Structure formats: structure tokens, C-alpha cells
Amino acid sequence: MIVCSCRAVSDRELRMAAEAGRSLREIVQVTGASTDCGCCADTVERIVTDARPCRSTPCTGCPNAGLAA
């Protein structure tokens, strides 16, 4: 699904970049997602955050605490 229609960036592209260890800032720089009109900025951030693997020590209150690597 296209998340950023201004730059034609898909949710798959965002997830793959996040799973590869890129930061939100790096992903935005590379893809251009959310840099034009900004309407997709919240969605881009949510997709990237959700796709990033958990740290070995989960954050306090993390809903994925039982899923940490």
C-alpha cells in the first residue's frame, strides 16, 4: 500500500528499511516520505517504529515486552 503518495513510498519499503536497522531520520532522507505535504508523517513514523526490532531489554510498559529478542 502506498503510504506517501507525494513520493510513492509504500509501507513495504518503510518496513524493509526499518528492519534493516535504519533510523526514522535515515528512512525519511532516503525515501523522501513525509517531506512534501506531511500528511503521512504520523503513519510513516508508526510503521517504522512498529517494524523496528525490540531491544534485548524492552522499554518500561512495552506491549512487545514478551517478544524481545
Side-chain angles (χ1 to χ4, degrees):
M1 150 182 91
I2 297 296
V3 174
C4 177
S5 46
C6 296
R7 298 291 181 116
V9 179
S10 71
D11 60 325
R12 184 171 188 254
E13 289 176 80
L14 297 171
R15 282 190 187 93
M16 287 175 57
E19 289 169 357
R22 290 187 181 253
S23 68
L24 175 61
R25 184 178 189 173
E26 291 171 325
I27 293 169
V28 168
Q29 286 179 324
V30 170
T31 65
S34 77
T35 61
D36 286 335
C37 75
C39 290
C40 63
D42 290 340
T43 304
V44 169
E45 184 175 359
R46 187 181 73 246
I47 289 170
V48 170
T49 301
D50 289 349
R52 198 170 292 136
C54 287
R55 298 180 285 176
S56 59
T57 306
C59 301
T60 303
C62 179
N64 300 320
L67 305 175

